[in-house]
Amino acid sequence: MLIDIITFVVSALLLWFGAQWIVTSAALIARRWGVSELVIGLTIVALGTSAPEFLVTINAALRGHNDISLSNVVGSNIFNLGFILGLMAMIKPLISTRTIVYRDGLLLFLTTAGILAVSFTGELGRWFGGTLIALLATYLLYLGLKRETVGEDELEETRGQKATWKHGLLLVSGFAAIAAGGHLMVTAATNIATSLGVSSWVIGVTIVAAGTSLPELVTCLAASVRGKNEMLLGNLIGSDFFNFAGVLGLTCLLKPLPVSAEASSGLIVLVAMVGLVLVLLRTGWRVTRLEGALLITINLIRWAGDFLT
């Protein structure tokens, strides 16, 4: 089991570094070819940061580990809204806006509720995956027309740099790293679940979800240190939406996912978590330190409940 734990840690690092390499190198290469900052932000940065979740999810689905596939996305979203958002609020209260609550937050809530409703049919099929992809494309088109972008922190770090042949090599290395990391993480997680005598769903919704959320955690911590907490809410809610509409949508499009009873209960928890976060964001238009502690506590209780049941 020690080997599996080491493998898991290595896979998390591969996913983290791979995602960073992809975003940085692809943004520089696209800029060199005259692609606008807006398009780079809406595509390369936004989708690149979801690469770890996608590689783990699709790898698990194609290998028949359906519980890990779905639980990774669900668990990652709960981890983002529970642990990461809560931790950031404890460091410094997060300021909310009407756009975050009534547009992005409500869109995430309705998307999550829609996935929960479809899950009661017992399968998330290709038609539903196509619907999620269409929703994501519509959202990106809307942001493009409104001249809004995402991932400004990541883009800011590449300004003033020029793409060289090294960035092409870095891009290939990034894809290789997340591909290897995704495969290793699924293998290690499956072995750990067997050794601990717990279900693959429990491992996927907790440890694997935390591992694939590492890029979001590091990015948010870095933004907090730089005093850019006002961008964190939009980034976290946007990341959750991309995980569902992009990662889960494309996975279902490639291979329909059967939904277990554990998955449905996990989705119910996620709908409740999104609803609670929206309420906290609306009351006083901020998330306080006390509310951040509440979110972390809920996340830890959920983890304990998953392992004990």
Side-chain angles (χ1 to χ4, degrees):
M1 185 173 171
L2 179 60
I3 298 298
D4 291 320
I5 293 175
I6 294 174
T7 301
F8 185 89
V9 172
V10 171
S11 67
L13 292 175
L14 284 172
L15 290 172
W16 175 30
F17 282 111
Q20 296 297 313
W21 294 341
I22 289 173
V23 169
T24 300
S25 57
L28 286 171
I29 293 170
R31 187 179 291 137
R32 180 172 182 177
W33 286 92
V35 179
S36 71
E37 299 283 310
L38 180 69
V39 174
I40 293 173
L42 290 177
T43 55
I44 294 171
V45 176
L47 301 178
T49 51
S50 291
E53 284 88 350
F54 174 69
L55 262 295
V56 170
T57 299
I58 192 62
N59 189 289
L62 294 178
R63 292 166 63 183
H65 302 298
N66 296 312
D67 271 352
I68 289 183
S69 184
L70 184 55
S71 63
N72 172 47
V73 178
V74 173
S76 179
N77 282 6
I78 296 177
F79 190 84
N80 285 349
L81 295 180
F83 186 80
I84 298 181
L85 192 150
L87 180 61
M88 294 305 105
M90 288 186 68
I91 294 174
K92 181 180 179 182
L94 302 176
I95 305 302
S96 177
T97 66
R98 289 184 174 273
T99 299
I100 288 176
V101 174
Y102 292 126
R103 188 191 71 187
D104 301 333
L106 193 57
L107 177 63
L108 176 61
F109 181 81
L110 293 175
T111 302
T112 308
I115 293 172
L116 172 62
V118 176
S119 74
F120 289 125
T121 66
E123 182 183 76
L124 301 179
R126 286 192 172 90
W127 68 270
F128 186 63
T131 301
L132 289 176
I133 293 296
L135 178 62
L136 175 61
T138 302
Y139 180 67
L140 291 177
L141 179 62
Y142 171 79
L143 291 181
L145 293 175
K146 294 277 291 184
R147 306 295 299 175
E148 295 184 32
T149 189
V150 292
E152 293 178 13
D153 273 349
E154 289 87 347
L155 283 177
E156 185 176 319
E157 294 175 0
T158 65
R159 290 195 175 98
Q161 300 182 42
K162 292 186 177 181
T164 64
W165 65 269
K166 294 181 181 179
H167 292 103
L169 182 60
L170 194 64
L171 181 62
V172 174
S173 300
F175 279 112
I178 61 173
H183 182 84
L184 290 174
M185 182 169 284
V186 172
T187 301
T190 304
N191 293 338
I192 291 172
T194 302
S195 299
L196 293 177
V198 298
S199 68
S200 296
W201 170 268
V202 170
I203 293 298
V205 82
T206 54
I207 300 174
V208 174
T212 56
S213 292
L214 186 61
E216 283 90 347
L217 176 59
V218 174
T219 299
C220 287
L221 284 173
S224 180
V225 170
R226 292 198 297 267
K228 295 188 175 182
N229 278 45
E230 69 278 3
M231 297 177 64
L232 297 182
L233 282 173
N235 287 347
L236 283 174
I237 290 177
S239 176
D240 276 16
F241 177 70
F242 276 106
N243 283 346
F244 265 153
V247 175
L248 187 59
L250 189 54
T251 301
C252 293
L253 201 59
L254 294 174
K255 187 179 185 295
L257 291 176
V259 182
S260 65
E262 285 181 302
S264 293
S265 64
L267 283 166
I268 292 174
V269 171
L270 181 54
V271 170
M273 178 67 80
V274 175
L276 174 62
V277 168
L278 287 181
V279 171
L280 296 180
L281 291 175
R282 178 60 184 83
T283 53
W285 298 105
R286 65 188 310 181
V287 181
T288 65
R289 288 188 172 90
L290 183 60
E291 292 168 340
L294 172 64
L295 291 174
I296 292 177
T297 301
I298 292 174
N299 198 71
L300 292 176
I301 291 175
R302 182 189 62 84
W303 271 36
D306 285 330
F307 276 102
L308 293 176
T309 53

